[in-house]
Amino acid sequence: MAQINKNFEKLPGSYLFAEIARRTAAYQEANPDASLIKLGIGDVTQPLVPAVIEAMHEAVDEQGVAETLKGYGPYEGYDFLREAIRDHDYRARGVDIALDEIFISDGAKSDCGNIGDIFAKDNKIAVCDPVYPVYVDSNAMEGRAGEYDVDAEAWTNIHYMPTTAENGFFPAIPDIHVDIIYLCSPNNPTGTVLDRDQLRAWVDYANDNDAVIMFDAAYERFITEDDIPHSIFEIEGAKSCAIEFRSFSKTAGFTGMRCGYTVIPHDLVRQGQSLNEMWLRRQSTKFNGASYIIQKGASAIYTSEGKRQIEETIRFYLENARIIKDGLEKCGLQVFGAVNSPYVWCKTPEGIGSWEFFNRLLEEANVITTPGAGFGPAGEGYIRLTGFGERPATKEAVSRIRRMLS
Amino acid sequence: MAQINKNFEKLPGSYLFAEIARRTAAYQEANPDASLIKLGIGDVTQPLVPAVIEAMHEAVDEQGVAETLKGYGPYEGYDFLREAIRDHDYRARGVDIALDEIFISDGAKSDCGNIGDIFAKDNKIAVCDPVYPVYVDSNAMEGRAGEYDVDAEAWTNIHYMPTTAENGFFPAIPDIHVDIIYLCSPNNPTGTVLDRDQLRAWVDYANDNDAVIMFDAAYERFITEDDIPHSIFEIEGAKSCAIEFRSFSKTAGFTGMRCGYTVIPHDLVRQGQSLNEMWLRRQSTKFNGASYIIQKGASAIYTSEGKRQIEETIRFYLENARIIKDGLEKCGLQVFGAVNSPYVWCKTPEGIGSWEFFNRLLEEANVITTPGAGFGPAGEGYIRLTGFGERPATKEAVSRIRRMLS
């Protein structure tokens, strides 16, 4: 009898977006004339920039000619892209990363999920609350999370670190020992960032405890404040304790293209083994490289033209986020994020829960948001809005919310 | 202290292609004028067909316009591709597969490697010998293989099934109980196929033992003989015991594009759980869909134009394989494969080992092959050649080998 992975049976249903879709559809059916505006989505809406489009057309043409056909590529990605990353994402910020510390993949989600392959089952995981569900679910599948406690909405063997307005969205350094810590800055879903001192505290903890930090920097390109680190490797000592995940999804609109990368420094050694070498072995065994065409497209964002173009798109999303934040603040709401992130994290009015506020916004303002409680218990009392919409719809949504609350 | 996955430490180095490259480079350095012909490669050399190129250009253009931009796609792939697969790869052969039994991915290698996520550690694995290394290494990483015995070149907890000329390349039904069986037909590396009766014997064994067959059909498009099954689901009862892996890599030259798919029937239930639902959960947690552009390219091979074009390329590779097989047989060698496969599996002359014959072909004929021993102990006494070269080089290589052996 083939034995299944019993950990899958412990996973609770992922009801958040399904439940939002259900409530939205029910409302729309009852109110066919209502014009709903979606501000809950995390997907991009602006087209890929011309430099990327052009590079992909060229790459497609190369694949149509024997002399320029690219077959199997390097498991770890093409050097043309790794060199661009090394120079522009790291060296330009004073961080020295070697080419073979960079692994190109089909996206940060795959890497965040698959990285568990190189770790033992016996590790204590720490995550922020609220949290991007992939960190938790992938560890639960691998048997590191313990049992799911429905009442607590939490896994018994995961250490949760609440990040709320009360603690300035800083996950407290734990007084227990943890082995693997997931940090995300700029944060999904809260839109807040960790500053240099906060990251240094975590790097020190990880080095002192031989722990490993999984640093998700998928939204780094949205950082506008000068003193906020874009990479954990800007912090001294991080190379011996951190893995960094990056994405082209929001940076360059690649959500449907699939490309990201992971940096694992050679200095990151645990139990005598180089995690860089382990990941190379994992990738060469269970992955066959990212698509050549997509890697060519990604490399185009590092040209001066490409860089200018993607910055324009990012400014557009950030301006949407600013419009939302300003509008909600004028209603007297407490609002976080938006400054270094496309995400706006808004405290619900006193005494109103996440789902209740979601419902009111849906029914009274016809605006769709995401209830913070869906990202974890400490997300209760917040809703998430995003800057990924169109400008007129974003402005209209803000006006409606202001009318509703006035 | 973060604990690493200690199973990685047990993995032997994968020296095969590195060792071939080393010997080749050393010979070329000592003989700079020698013109080497590579017939060992498994990568494609013919360009992608015009229908695929055109479809990808269109898809790239769509990504440059907001109205047609595709962001996050379905985890399990777009319906336009799944419908084409269902209709052309299955329904056209009398096999009824539902849309939601088809999962599009970035390649069969990823799926073959990642499928282990849904199974427990406690399963007895069976593989053919010689074997595509991904099946073995991915299970070894997950702790199912036991210890690696250097002398036996085998893992202590894996059941190896020799497939050689002596048993007609049929992996014998074991007299012990095994839980997960990897079968590959047309086979990599031997180029041989399993017929209907042979597959039926395995399906019956799997159903009788509640085992699961991992059926790798990456090379099915090379089948030329009418009575050879293209899918294990052509065998009655297979839906309750088999998972099938398919690839666009060799079918349509997608080795650098990255696209494949996996079929998991709803009838495949173990310990009360649907493996289809478990895989959907795995993919939605640790994968974010295959690239839209690449899926559009893949769907173009199902148009009448695209189908005609890829068949032409496949005939070209098969003709190369036939030329190699005929030439070697005329030298008195015993040759397998080639008829339903781009791979030619050639018995070495009496008393000459794989690596010794590889060396002679390199030094005396300047032809690079792959020693069969590199795919497992039962591959000793064979070499693999492939039809993926250019026509003149393929013919020249065969002439040189004939001169060498005459």
Side-chain angles (χ1 to χ4, degrees), chain A residues 139-313:
Chain A
N139 277 291
M141 284 177 176
E142 291 157 11
R144 294 192 194 93
E147 305 299 321
Y148 188 71
D149 180 334
V150 176
D151 294 329
E153 297 175 53
W155 292 84
T156 53
N157 198 35
I158 285 187
H159 177 71
Y160 292 88
M161 306 178 291
T163 53
T164 60
E166 286 67 37
N167 65 13
F169 298 94
F170 174 66
I173 302 292
D175 45 18
I176 63 160
H177 180 83
V178 297
D179 303 303
I180 296 175
I181 304 115
Y182 288 84
L183 297 177
C184 179
S185 174
N187 191 266
N188 177 12
T190 69
T192 57
V193 289
L194 297 172
D195 68 23
R196 208 164 290 274
D197 289 339
Q198 291 171 326
L199 281 180
R200 191 177 296 116
W202 269 110
V203 166
D204 291 346
Y205 173 88
N207 278 322
D208 289 347
N209 289 273
D210 286 323
V212 175
I213 295 171
M214 304 288 182
F215 190 72
D216 184 347
Y219 295 90
E220 66 81 27
R221 210 58 68 99
F222 289 85
I223 294 172
T224 60
E225 292 180 312
D226 283 345
D227 50 346
I228 300 300
H230 288 239
S231 165
I232 196 162
F233 301 120
E234 294 179 41
I235 309 300
E236 204 188 323
K239 284 189 181 176
S240 57
C241 68
I243 293 174
E244 181 160 294
F245 303 96
R246 293 276 190 108
S247 169
F248 293 100
S249 284
K250 312 296 161 88
T251 301
F254 270 46
T255 53
M257 302 288 89
R258 311 313 309 140
C259 200
Y261 66 90
T262 291
V263 176
I264 309 186
H266 293 300
D267 287 351
L268 183 52
V269 173
R270 289 295 177 273
Q271 300 184 295
Q273 293 290 330
S274 156
L275 298 195
N276 177 293
E277 284 171 25
M278 290 182 73
W279 184 243
L280 177 59
R281 186 71 198 237
R282 191 273 170 210
Q283 291 295 79
S284 57
T285 300
K286 297 169 76 168
F287 180 63
N288 225 337
S291 177
Y292 172 68
I293 291 171
I294 309 303
Q295 290 190 63
K296 284 299 277 191
S299 72
I301 75 163
Y302 296 101
T303 61
S304 56
E305 191 66 3
K307 194 175 287 192
R308 194 187 54 68
Q309 292 168 354
I310 64 161
E311 276 167 9
E312 200 175 306
T313 305

Side-chain angles (χ1 to χ4, degrees), chain A residues 44-163:
Chain A
V44 297
T45 54
Q46 296 300 299
L48 272 67
V49 301
V52 169
I53 296 294
E54 193 183 327
M56 292 201 295
H57 275 308
E58 283 171 20
V60 169
D61 281 333
E62 287 179 61
Q63 296 300 85
V65 181
E67 289 67 29
T68 51
L69 172 74
K70 300 285 185 304
Y72 290 122
Y75 303 123
E76 61 275 25
Y78 280 99
D79 278 355
F80 63 77
L81 180 53
R82 298 162 93 203
E83 284 164 7
I85 288 167
R86 178 196 59 193
D87 295 347
H88 295 270
D89 289 348
Y90 292 99
R91 199 168 283 173
R93 298 199 163 273
V95 178
D96 191 32
I97 293 290
L99 265 204
D100 62 359
E101 295 176 324
I102 301 167
F103 297 85
I104 312 295
S105 78
D106 66 320
K109 184 181 174 191
S110 300
D111 289 354
C112 282
N114 291 329
I115 194 75
D117 282 4
I118 68 170
F119 292 97
K121 300 292 153 266
D122 189 20
N123 279 297
K124 181 80 178 181
I125 306 296
V127 299
C128 295
D129 173 15
V131 67
Y132 174 55
V134 169
Y135 314 149
V136 173
D137 289 358
S138 61
N139 277 291
M141 284 177 176
E142 291 157 11
R144 294 192 194 93
E147 305 299 321
Y148 188 71
D149 180 334
V150 176
D151 294 329
E153 297 175 53
W155 292 84
T156 53
N157 198 35
I158 285 187
H159 177 71
Y160 292 88
M161 306 178 291
T163 53

Side-chain angles (χ1 to χ4, degrees), chain B residues 297-313:
Chain B
S299 71
I301 75 164
Y302 296 100
T303 61
S304 57
E305 192 67 1
K307 194 175 284 193
R308 194 188 54 70
Q309 292 169 353
I310 65 161
E311 275 167 9
E312 199 175 307
T313 304

